[in-house]
Amino acid sequence: MNFFNELTRLIKDNIRDYGMFIALFIIMLTFTIMTDGLFMSSRNISNLLDSAGYIAVLAVGVMIVIIIRHIDLSIGFLAGFLGAIVAILLMDVGVSVYLVIPIILVIGTIIGLSTGFLVAQIGIPSFVATLAGWLIFRGALLKVTEDSGTIIVQNETFNAIGNGYIPAIMQVNGLHLLTLIIGALSSILYIYSSISNRRKKIKYNFEVVSREIFILQLVFVSAIIAYITWILAGYNGLSWTGIIILLVVIIYHFLTTKTVIGRHIYAVGSNPEAAHLSGINVKKITYLVFGSMGMLSALSGILFTSRLQSATTTAGTLFELDAIAAAYVGGVSSAGGVGKVTGAIIGAVVMASLTNGMNLLGVGISYQYMIRGGVLALAVIFDVTTRKRGK
């Protein structure tokens, strides 16, 4: 009985973290039943994750921006504009893809730092500064694409980023071997990291869950990783987009949870004045966060342009709203100081799953927008309710 009491208390105390997983499970189960299993087919899940890639990358960046109590509305058209610049450099200028990608990432970072300058140094509210950016990059995108409207990218290496898959090495009973290996290594890394963190907490007399609950957590997460790996391995395996998302998650999860910079980001978000008085350079953190957002916008533009194999005048439309919605659904707090990288990714997958599932069911686009808006409203209501309960 103690086991179930502890499990109930654990879920109740961490409902913000577990809520998004419960929501994703319910959404996937519902669509799987309503589509007679088509939703959970290997091909559909692979396409779903790839289509969510460019929004997931943006969601990670905007989640950190929201954590420090700011917002960035310019990221959608910044991604679209930089994606168009990629297409121009590749097709019109003839620059190598191996040079284009780092150049675009650097340009995105510089633009992000410029936004950080307006917010941190000049003191312009982030909403106004980034709204100006929204207008500027919208106009810039229209300008660079006005001659042709669409710039077709005929570069196999670049297009493979958004449409290609990692090599298989070999097939095992029709399954993609390298994807299975990566899945197994991910499970091992998760288990090792969890055990290491638990030992450190015990060493310094921090409270930890019972061994039974801890083992249950390891088995549950490992089972999810194994199941997703098995689904992806049944089609073409893990895509290059999936690898990029995985790298972004690992890097930013480490940055936000294991470094001094990460602790400073959350401190600034929790209370900027107190963080300043404690010696944290709030302006520096603001620069860093907006610079990071610019870089991730550039990466999002690369992923989107590669997936479409072209740059269009409408690229970037509503990207920022989808990313902000994914961040909120993923558990970031509107009050700042709360949010996780994994949550932002799950939020992006939740929103992509809703769109994908409704498309499979033939739901009209008008109803899709209303349903997604309702989900976002519920996520914010959930955030406000859990914060009040915490107080």
Side-chain angles (χ1 to χ4, degrees):
M1 191 65 181
N2 290 333
F3 171 82
F4 291 104
N5 288 337
E6 183 182 2
L7 182 61
T8 303
R9 182 176 62 81
L10 183 68
I11 294 174
K12 186 177 180 181
D13 292 344
N14 297 276
I15 188 64
R16 179 186 289 275
D17 295 333
Y18 296 148
M20 69 194 83
F21 291 99
I22 295 171
L24 180 60
F25 175 77
I26 292 172
I27 289 170
M28 287 190 161
L29 180 63
T30 301
F31 282 133
T32 299
I33 293 171
M34 294 180 72
T35 60
D36 296 325
L38 178 61
F39 180 82
M40 286 303 293
S41 65
S42 295
R43 184 189 183 100
N44 189 61
I45 292 298
S46 179
N47 289 333
L48 186 155
L49 294 177
D50 285 350
S51 64
Y54 63 94
I55 295 298
V57 167
L58 284 178
V60 170
V62 83
M63 179 270 298
I64 300 175
V65 173
I66 294 171
I67 283 176
I68 65 167
R69 302 188 181 190
H70 288 296
I71 196 67
D72 195 336
L73 301 177
S74 67
I75 55 178
F77 284 124
L78 174 57
F81 169 64
L82 291 178
I85 297 299
V86 168
I88 291 170
L89 290 176
L90 286 173
M91 303 311 300
D92 295 345
V93 183
V95 181
S96 166
V97 65
Y98 300 105
L99 280 177
V100 166
I101 291 174
I103 287 171
I104 293 300
L105 293 177
V106 169
I107 292 174
T109 304
I110 293 171
I111 291 173
L113 290 172
S114 301
T115 304
F117 175 80
L118 295 177
V119 175
Q121 208 68 38
I122 307 299
I124 300 175
S126 59
F127 181 90
V128 177
T130 59
L131 180 58
W134 186 96
L135 293 168
I136 291 168
F137 299 127
R138 174 61 175 147
L141 173 61
L142 290 173
K143 181 63 180 176
V144 298
T145 58
E146 67 180 355
D147 292 336
S148 60
T150 300
I151 304 170
I152 304 298
V153 180
Q154 296 175 325
N155 186 301
E156 290 186 7
T157 303
F158 178 76
N159 290 338
I161 296 173
N163 300 282
Y165 299 85
I166 62 175
I169 301 178
M170 63 179 290
Q171 296 282 333
V172 179
N173 295 326
L175 298 175
H176 195 276
L177 179 59
L178 187 54
T179 297
L180 295 176
I181 292 172
I182 291 174
L185 291 175
S186 299
S187 292
I188 292 170
L189 181 62
Y190 166 74
I191 293 170
Y192 173 79
S193 175
S194 299
I195 293 173
S196 178
N197 288 336
R198 178 180 170 84
R199 284 176 176 171
K200 287 179 181 178
K201 287 182 178 180
I202 293 173
K203 180 180 178 181
Y204 294 105
N205 296 319
F206 287 114
E207 183 181 357
V208 295
V209 297
S210 66
R211 181 173 295 180
E212 291 78 10
I213 294 292
F214 178 67
I215 292 173
L216 180 63
Q217 287 178 333
L218 293 183
V219 171
F220 180 71
V221 175
S222 298
I224 291 175
I225 294 173
Y227 183 60
I228 293 174
T229 301
W230 178 73
I231 288 178
L232 294 177
Y235 183 49
N236 286 328
L238 194 60
S239 66
W240 288 114
T241 297
I243 292 293
I244 291 171
I245 295 173
L246 195 59
L247 289 174
V248 169
V249 170
I250 292 171
I251 292 169
Y252 276 85
H253 178 72
F254 178 81
L255 178 70
T256 54
T257 61
K258 304 294 183 182
T259 66
V260 174
I261 290 174
R263 289 193 289 272
H264 286 181
I265 288 171
Y266 285 103
V268 169
S270 297
N271 192 321
E273 292 78 14
H276 175 71
L277 292 173
S278 65
I280 296 174
N281 191 329
V282 177
K283 289 184 178 180
K284 179 182 176 182
I285 294 299
T286 305
Y287 272 110
L288 180 68
V289 169
F290 276 100
S292 166
M293 184 72 260
M295 184 193 69
L296 290 176
S297 296
L299 181 58
S300 175
I302 290 169
L303 289 173
F304 185 74
T305 302
S306 173
R307 182 159 179 78
L308 260 63
Q309 301 181 30
S310 63
T312 66
T313 55
T314 58
T317 305
L318 297 181
F319 283 17
E320 69 282 350
L321 299 186
D322 286 338
I324 292 168
Y328 275 113
V329 170
V332 73
S333 174
S334 54
V338 175
K340 291 184 177 180
V341 171
T342 49
I345 296 295
I346 294 298
V349 174
V350 166
M351 300 305 285
S353 297
L354 279 173
T355 302
N356 180 275
M358 289 188 289
N359 285 335
L360 290 177
L361 292 172
V363 177
I365 191 68
S366 56
Y367 290 108
Q368 288 192 30
Y369 276 114
M370 287 188 278
I371 292 170
R372 289 163 64 193
V375 170
L376 175 58
L378 288 174
V380 178
I381 291 169
F382 181 74
D383 165 50
V384 173
T385 305
T386 51
R387 275 194 289 115
K388 284 181 178 178
R389 189 180 302 167
K391 293 177 181 178

